Amino acid sequence: MNQQKDNLKVVIVGHVDHGKSTIIGRMLAETGALPKGKLKQIQESCRKNSKPFEYAFLLDALKNEQSQGITIDMARCFFKTAKRNYIIIDAPGHIEFLKNMVTGAAKADAALLVIDANEGIQENSKRHGYMLSMLGVPQVAVLINKFDLVNYDRNVYEKIIEEFSGFLGNIGVTAISYIPVSGRDGDNIVSPSKHFDWYEGPTLLEQLDSFLLPTQPVSKAFRMPVQDIYKFTANGDDRRIIAGTIETGCIKNGDDVIFLPSGKEGTIKSIEVFNHPEQHETGAGYATGFTLVSQIYIKAGELMCRKGEKMPETGTRLRVNIFWLGKSPMIKGKRYKFKLGSARESVELAEVINVFDASDLSTVRGKQQLDRYDIGECIIETSRPVVFDNIKEIEATGRFVIVDNHEISGGGIIFEKDTESISVINQHITQREFFWNHGLITPQSRASRYHHRGKFVLITGEKESGKHELAKQLEYSLFNMHLNVYYLGLNTFMKGLDVDLEKVAWNRDEHIRRLGELARIMTDAGLIFISAIDDLDRYDIEYIKQLNTPSELLVINIGSNLPDYEAGLNLLEDYDLKAALDEIKKVLNREKIIPEYCI
Amino acid sequence: MYKEMNHLERLEAFSVYILRESYREFKNLVMLWSIGKDSTVLLWLARKAFLGHVPFPLMHIDTEYKIPEMIEFRNRTAMEWKLNLLVGRNAKALEEKQTYPAGKTDRLTCCRHLKSEALKHTLSGEWTRYRLNHDSGGFEEDSGTEPYTGVIVGVRADEEGSRSKERYFSPRDKQSDWNVDDQPPELWNQFNTDFASGTHLRIHPLLDWTELDIWEYIEKESIPVIPLYFDNGKGKRYRSLGCYPCTSPVESNAKNVRDIINELKTGKFANIAERSGRAQDKDDGGGLETLRREGYM
């Protein structure tokens, strides 16, 4: 079949007013890439408004954009050369629109960074250079524009190269070329200009055609974030399909795979693609689906890897670089949503190591937060382990975004696990206990008055497994033995203390945190505090346990949903109530919570 | 052996990713189906993403001025592919003849009444939705009135200036307004799938596709399209489908998908905008932009 040529996505960035839109407009016009109606439409609109036509207007397709005279968002335009097709992404140069610039640059195969020869290197020339490096844009060429304003002076060219290549070198970027151009007059855009007799490098068009097409990273270790598990039963379909887009590597039927962080294993039975001949092998780039030889319980968000290959890392404390775009700063002590591959966790800023000042590349130490447009080296801590690769090894699983107030507010790249410092939660517990206001009554005097000690009894298991009934019966039974006990129902909690969280999308971890803090208070009061929550996993339990420290926690699990955690007591799904209550009391006695005569 | 992906395979994979991401993140999801080639390709991509199934309803806004073959094609395809099809319309404007063909409004106002308003109120559940009954083949008033908060739309960036500013996941506020100047960023393959209550999301899986891509994909996958796109023997065909009073066919002898592809690549349409046959775009300098801010697709 006579297929189309490939597309190369090129983003054009640089400081505001350095001439990006003019360069693109000129290029589109000179390569005959404009749809016939377009040029006429814009020229007519200029005539109507008695405004001289400018090439930049071609891209400023939106009304309000023209009225403000700056590129607000990235506009995509399409053009082709004899060699291939291009998608040109025009990214705005104003600092306020950095989030639009990164949106454009994050999906680019190559970048053109425009610097005004007359005005020289500006803050956003550097900031955009830095962003290109963090976003992982693989090829960068620099256009030095508006040479008509500096008499095509070679010294200007040399000076800018010297300064800018030094800057790029520091952040690990090497520009492929530095091209002197004039967008307004069309010099060195499509054809070489006589004004640059001292320049022997490529024109812009030649540079575009010599950028390399991206290739899929098939030779790397296999990674596929599990996007979803499908079991559509309509029309007798009984397939259970693990769906996702393969980031790196290859895989075939019969291969053994492992899902992380759960560690569950399986063997590929089939590759599932709609309206496609049977497939035995697939790899990087394809959005596909798999069935496994035997059914295992895994969830969206896990990373599918191939056994026998290099495994990714798993950790909660990560050393990263973050660029922050949110209106409110990224601060410590606040939980954000963290998205890496298909995983979603909550994350906290644990430490700010350095903040880079893009304007002069200096390092600001001692900052405690990331303000808007800051780029910082930080330690972040996720609520439960995330699976990742070092950004230098596998990009797709080495980068993440942070969501604040429903919007992606920052992005980052991961270098390694941080194993040296104390975790945020441990720091918190130490501080909290240090500042705890103790009354005049010691836990010992409370225990001797009450004839028992405080303890948090947490019942978990599948939905509808009788947790709440058990919790209430336990409270009733202990109460009748004159013990101080309190059962907290989940709705009591959700509709009261946690009512503010109803509007928060990412609230599960916050519910758990508050319950943990509340448990610490209730048990400090000497109570046997009982609650029941559906389907906790080992990380949830570990978190509650830490928050409840130094008080004690007893976990009672109903059913078999918690195979990787050793609960204080495991009950079968069809447990006998009386026997279960006796069992719990025995455990409580063994742990010296309640006296012998209670059992 | 691994086969390096070609252009269409890359586009397909990314659109499938967007569709799966939508399905994972949103409960009240709906896909708009205009019966044209783009949204039919989008529907096909949904079947790709969900392995032959379409796990959310399709919604068609019927202006009652659609070319009759479109409605026939819609119903036949929906029956064949077992689609959950919902139809909505602006009954009041139609009854009161507040339309361009009835001579009471200009073109833009007509679009606003029959498309934007109809869509907004059908999505929100305020206006009646009609659901295809697969047993009878007829439509029945739908009892469900839950608002759809995730709306999948087949717009392409190359169609028209304002569409080139769209994000893949684009939040709209309660009034369906689009704040072009302040859209959250999209990074790598992470999108804004969280949103405040009271807002909803437009999802655009076809943003990177061109008209040529659409036709080449239709050819590659043998996707059925309405014969109105082909020359019926009189030297005319539709390049873009809409309401018959405002959409005119173009002069063309393209009789099949391959002819159209050749025509787009080398022939007389290589440099002419696709929507040149759509009259409402011309009524005001930024007609479509005005409509889009108000929720037009």
Side-chain angles (χ1 to χ4, degrees):
Chain A
M1 205 189 326
N2 181 13
Q3 277 286 335
Q4 284 186 55
K5 290 170 284 191
D6 255 303
N7 275 324
L8 191 79
K9 294 196 199 91
V10 182
V11 67
I12 180 159
V13 300
H15 200 73
V16 65
D17 285 338
H18 280 197
K20 296 179 297 291
S21 303
T22 305
I23 290 174
I24 303 173
R26 173 62 82 163
M27 198 162 53
L28 294 180
E30 291 202 3
T31 53
L34 296 170
K36 257 179 206 151
K38 196 104 180 173
L39 187 59
K40 216 173 118 196
Q41 184 198 333
I42 305 287
Q43 282 170 334
E44 250 167 38
S45 131
C46 284
R47 210 169 23 243
K48 251 193 236 165
N49 300 316
S50 319
K51 219 164 45 170
F53 168 76
E54 283 185 32
Y55 282 98
F57 295 160
L58 286 170
L59 298 177
D60 298 348
L62 287 181
K63 279 177 171 178
N64 77 327
E65 206 187 90
Q66 281 173 20
S67 66
Q68 291 191 12
I70 47 175
T71 313
I72 285 172
D73 206 318
M74 36 135 206
R76 273 160 278 216
C77 50
F78 299 80
F79 89 104
K80 53 187 152 217
T81 64
K83 186 171 175 182
R84 63 185 166 215
N85 298 329
Y86 289 92
I87 299 174
I88 304 288
I89 305 160
D90 181 23
H94 255 234
I95 180 97
E96 294 83 61
F97 304 125
L98 192 68
K99 60 184 182 176
N100 298 330
M101 178 267 168
V102 300
T103 300
K107 57 184 154 205
D109 304 315
L112 300 170
L113 199 154
V114 180
I115 298 174
D116 182 333
N118 193 35
E119 217 177 275
I121 297 159
Q122 296 293 312
E123 181 175 339
N124 279 333
S125 318
K126 290 186 173 175
R127 194 187 300 274
H128 285 183
Y130 211 123
M131 296 309 302
L132 293 177
S133 128
M134 281 194 61
L135 291 167
V137 182
Q139 320 175 74
V140 181
V142 177
L143 304 179
I144 308 175
N145 190 26
K146 304 193 186 178
F147 260 88
D148 48 309
L149 298 180
V150 294
N151 295 320
Y152 311 98
D153 183 351
R154 182 176 190 166
N155 290 328
V156 173
Y157 177 76
E158 301 289 354
K159 201 171 147 280
I160 287 176
I161 291 189
E162 193 189 326
E163 189 184 339
F164 206 62
S165 62
F167 162 76
L168 289 180
N170 283 334
I171 56 172
V173 176
T174 309
I176 298 171
S177 58
Y178 289 84
I179 312 172
V181 299
S182 163
R184 203 187 65 179
D185 299 340
D187 292 305
N188 269 357
I189 302 291
V190 170
S191 43
S193 159
K194 61 177 177 357
H195 293 301
F196 301 111
D197 50 4
W198 45 265
Y199 173 75
E200 288 176 343
T203 61
L204 170 54
L205 202 67
E206 286 167 344
Q207 177 57 62
L208 285 173
D209 275 347
S210 66
F211 279 135
L212 301 174
L213 273 175
T215 50
Q216 295 295 340
V218 278
S219 55
K220 295 192 174 181
F222 179 87
R223 301 281 187 263
M224 186 185 89
V226 176
Q227 201 173 4
D228 226 328
I229 313 290
Y230 297 137
K231 192 154 188 339
F232 300 114
T233 48
N235 312 317
D237 194 345
D238 61 356
R239 294 172 296 175
R240 189 166 187 276
I241 297 166
I242 297 161
T245 297
I246 302 168
E247 295 288 2
T248 52
C250 282
I251 200 146
K252 59 185 187 307
N253 288 346
D255 280 354
D256 292 326
V257 292
I258 179 164
F259 297 88
L260 295 169
S262 76
K264 291 182 180 160
E265 298 183 9
T267 304
I268 302 288
K269 182 180 167 197
S270 66
I271 297 167
E272 299 288 332
V273 189
F274 172 72
N275 195 41
H276 195 283
E278 194 175 303
Q279 221 179 334
H280 301 285
E281 183 167 10
T282 186
Y286 287 96
T288 188
F290 299 97
T291 62
L292 298 180
V293 171
S294 50
Q295 304 295 357
I296 53 171
Y297 179 72
I298 48 162
K299 287 188 267 193
E302 299 215 47
L303 187 66
M304 179 169 148
C305 304
R306 192 169 137 197
K307 289 194 78 178
E309 290 186 324
K310 186 172 182 215
M311 286 293 121
E313 305 262 350
T314 304
T316 52
R317 239 178 119 77
L318 313 172
R319 192 169 67 80
V320 303
N321 268 5
I322 294 177
F323 51 91
W324 190 250
L325 306 167
K327 288 188 188 94
S328 331
M330 186 180 190
I331 54 173
K332 293 182 182 176
K334 179 174 172 183
R335 292 186 158 260
Y336 298 89
K337 182 172 175 180
F338 171 92
K339 295 166 84 172
L340 187 165
S342 57
R344 284 102 174 84
E345 298 298 345
S346 76
V347 75
E348 267 185 70
L349 178 63
E351 244 177 88
V352 181
I353 302 169
N354 289 311
V355 172
F356 304 103
D357 183 339
S359 57
D360 60 358
L361 241 210
S362 65
T363 299
V364 185
R365 286 182 187 275
K367 256 191 106 156
Q368 295 297 307
Q369 62 181 37
L370 293 180
D371 293 311
R372 194 171 208 192
Y373 311 128
D374 273 350
I375 301 170
E377 185 187 352
C378 312
I379 305 287
I380 55 171
E381 200 172 299
T382 52
S383 54
R384 58 188 69 207
V386 290
V387 181
F388 67 95
D389 287 285
N390 180 317
I391 186 70
K392 295 194 176 92
E393 289 170 18
I394 299 182
E395 284 192 330
T397 43
R399 55 198 182 191
F400 58 88
V401 299
I402 292 171
V403 180
D404 183 23
N405 194 25
H406 312 298
E407 289 189 6
I408 291 177
S409 297
I413 53 179
I414 308 174
F415 299 111
E416 61 187 1
K417 250 193 296 200
D418 174 67
T419 47
E420 285 164 23
S421 35
I422 315 158
S423 70
V424 170
I425 173 79
N426 286 337
Q427 281 173 33
H428 166 73
I429 303 296
T430 311
Q431 282 227 345
R432 183 190 68 190
E433 294 305 316
F434 180 79
F435 288 106
W436 195 276
N437 283 328
H438 296 278
L440 299 175
I441 303 153
T442 63
Q444 291 74 20
S445 23
R446 248 185 254 279
S448 76
R449 162 79 64 88
Y450 296 164
H451 304 293
H452 66 86
R453 294 196 297 133
K455 178 129 183 161
F456 182 22
V457 180
L458 179 61
I459 305 174
T460 188
E462 284 173 53
K463 286 197 175 80
E464 316 289 326
S465 55
K467 290 179 296 291
H468 300 283
E469 186 54 27
L470 179 62
K472 285 180 199 173
Q473 292 294 342
L474 179 63
E475 182 194 32
Y476 188 66
S477 161
L478 295 177
F479 182 80
N480 287 339
M481 291 166 173
H482 306 285
L483 304 180
N484 295 303
V485 59
Y486 184 73
Y487 158 69
L488 177 74
L490 216 54
N491 278 342
T492 316
F493 188 56
M494 302 282 239
K495 295 289 172 192
L497 186 59
D498 271 2
V499 77
D500 57 316
L501 298 183
E502 281 184 350
K503 291 193 176 69
V504 183
W506 193 245
N507 54 20
R508 182 180 161 83
D509 286 333
E510 182 59 16
H511 283 303
I512 290 175
R513 186 190 73 80
R514 291 186 190 183
L515 182 67
E517 292 285 1
L518 186 61
R520 167 68 184 116
I521 295 170
M522 299 295 260
T523 48
D524 190 51
L527 291 177
I528 295 172
F529 177 56
I530 306 169
S531 195
I533 309 182
D534 289 338
D535 266 337
L536 290 172
D537 66 19
R538 62 176 156 148
Y539 306 114
D540 296 326
I541 295 172
E542 195 51 44
Y543 189 42
I544 292 173
K545 189 175 173 181
Q546 281 174 307
L547 286 165
N548 190 44
T549 311
S551 300
E552 295 171 26
L553 173 73
L554 169 65
V555 176
I556 298 164
N557 180 51
I558 304 174
S560 52
N561 254 11
L562 201 58
D564 49 0
Y565 182 83
E566 201 177 325
L569 182 64
N570 275 302
L571 296 174
L572 297 174
E573 270 163 68
D574 54 351
Y575 67 87
D576 172 76
L577 182 64
K578 191 180 171 301
L581 291 175
D582 288 345
E583 277 296 312
I584 297 171
K585 283 184 239 169
K586 261 185 222 160
V587 175
L588 288 174
N589 173 254
R590 200 160 59 227
E591 294 183 357
K592 299 193 168 53
I593 301 297
I594 62 174
E596 188 84 40
Y597 63 78
C598 290
I599 55 175
Chain B
M1 264 302 287
Y2 174 81
K3 187 173 125 309
E4 185 63 46
M5 302 176 89
N6 65 30
H7 174 63
L8 285 179
E9 285 165 335
R10 282 171 206 259
L11 284 173
E12 177 192 77
F14 187 68
S15 299
V16 164
Y17 176 83
I18 299 276
L19 286 166
R20 287 175 171 175
E21 201 70 354
S22 316
Y23 182 63
R24 177 181 176 191
E25 299 279 357
F26 301 110
K27 290 279 163 292
N28 292 319
L29 198 61
V30 71
M31 181 185 274
L32 298 189
W33 187 27
S34 74
I35 332 295
K37 62 184 191 319
D38 297 344
S39 59
T40 304
V41 162
L42 185 60
L43 172 56
W44 187 267
L45 287 165
R47 300 177 84 206
K48 280 268 175 193
F50 308 109
L51 295 305
H53 302 264
V54 183
F56 36 71
L58 278 288
M59 184 178 284
H60 179 234
I61 297 304
D62 191 354
T63 61
E64 298 196 351
Y65 289 105
K66 294 294 175 193
I67 305 168
E69 286 95 321
M70 293 172 70
I71 303 301
E72 194 266 325
F73 176 84
R74 176 192 78 188
N75 295 348
R76 183 160 38 86
T77 309
M79 292 292 284
E80 205 171 298
W81 293 354
K82 301 189 166 54
L83 304 176
N84 179 0
L85 175 66
L86 295 171
V87 173
R89 58 173 65 86
N90 187 342
K92 189 161 172 283
L94 286 165
E95 194 180 314
E96 293 171 1
K97 305 214 179 312
Q98 289 298 321
T99 67
Y100 171 75
K104 287 205 184 164
T105 72
D106 60 21
R107 288 192 158 106
L108 275 183
T109 310
C110 184
C111 272
R112 189 174 289 140
H113 285 162
L114 298 188
K115 294 184 185 172
S116 313
E117 290 293 310
L119 176 65
K120 192 194 291 183
H121 297 289
T122 310
L123 284 176
S124 71
E126 294 159 84
W127 292 1
T128 311
R129 300 167 181 156
Y130 299 88
R131 188 183 293 272
L132 176 66
N133 179 325
H134 281 265
D135 295 326
S136 69
F139 284 84
E140 290 166 359
E141 225 179 280
D142 188 39
S143 53
T145 55
E146 78 283 14
Y148 289 107
T149 46
V151 186
I152 308 173
V153 193
V155 303
R156 308 189 330 258
D158 76 323
E159 281 177 277
E160 195 270 336
S162 72
R163 294 188 174 180
S164 74
K165 312 272 167 163
E166 282 285 11
R167 297 278 205 258
Y168 301 104
F169 287 77
S170 173
R172 302 294 213 260
D173 71 13
K174 262 203 183 91
Q175 278 69 47
S176 295
D177 281 352
W178 180 33
N179 189 353
V180 191
D181 303 355
D182 191 28
Q183 305 187 70
E186 294 184 334
L187 284 170
W188 308 303
N189 53 4
Q190 300 292 358
F191 302 94
N192 289 283
T193 49
D194 299 88
F195 60 110
S197 60
T199 55
H200 71 273
L201 240 86
R202 296 277 167 87
I203 302 148
H204 305 123
L206 291 184
L207 215 49
D208 293 339
W209 296 59
T210 63
E211 188 186 5
L212 182 58
D213 295 328
I214 293 285
W215 284 112
E216 290 197 328
Y217 191 66
I218 288 171
E219 180 181 55
K220 173 175 175 270
E221 296 282 325
S222 309
I223 303 171
V225 290
I226 312 185
L228 291 169
Y229 283 113
F230 309 121
D231 174 14
N232 58 1
K234 294 178 190 146
K236 280 181 191 283
R237 71 174 190 88
Y238 285 91
R239 192 174 171 196
S240 169
L241 289 177
C243 301
Y244 56 81
C246 295
T247 311
S248 38
V250 292
E251 304 275 331
S252 161
N253 295 315
K255 290 189 172 50
N256 52 46
V257 178
R258 179 86 317 236
D259 286 353
I260 292 179
I261 291 171
N262 287 334
E263 195 176 66
L264 285 172
K265 269 182 160 166
T266 53
K268 55 187 205 164
F269 289 134
N271 282 316
I272 296 179
E274 177 188 357
R275 292 179 64 97
S276 53
R278 301 286 281 268
Q280 72 268 36
D281 293 14
K282 291 168 189 150
D283 270 14
D284 120 35
L288 200 53
E289 164 65 12
T290 311
L291 285 172
R292 284 183 70 65
R293 280 176 186 277
E294 297 167 355
Y296 180 78
M297 303 285 170

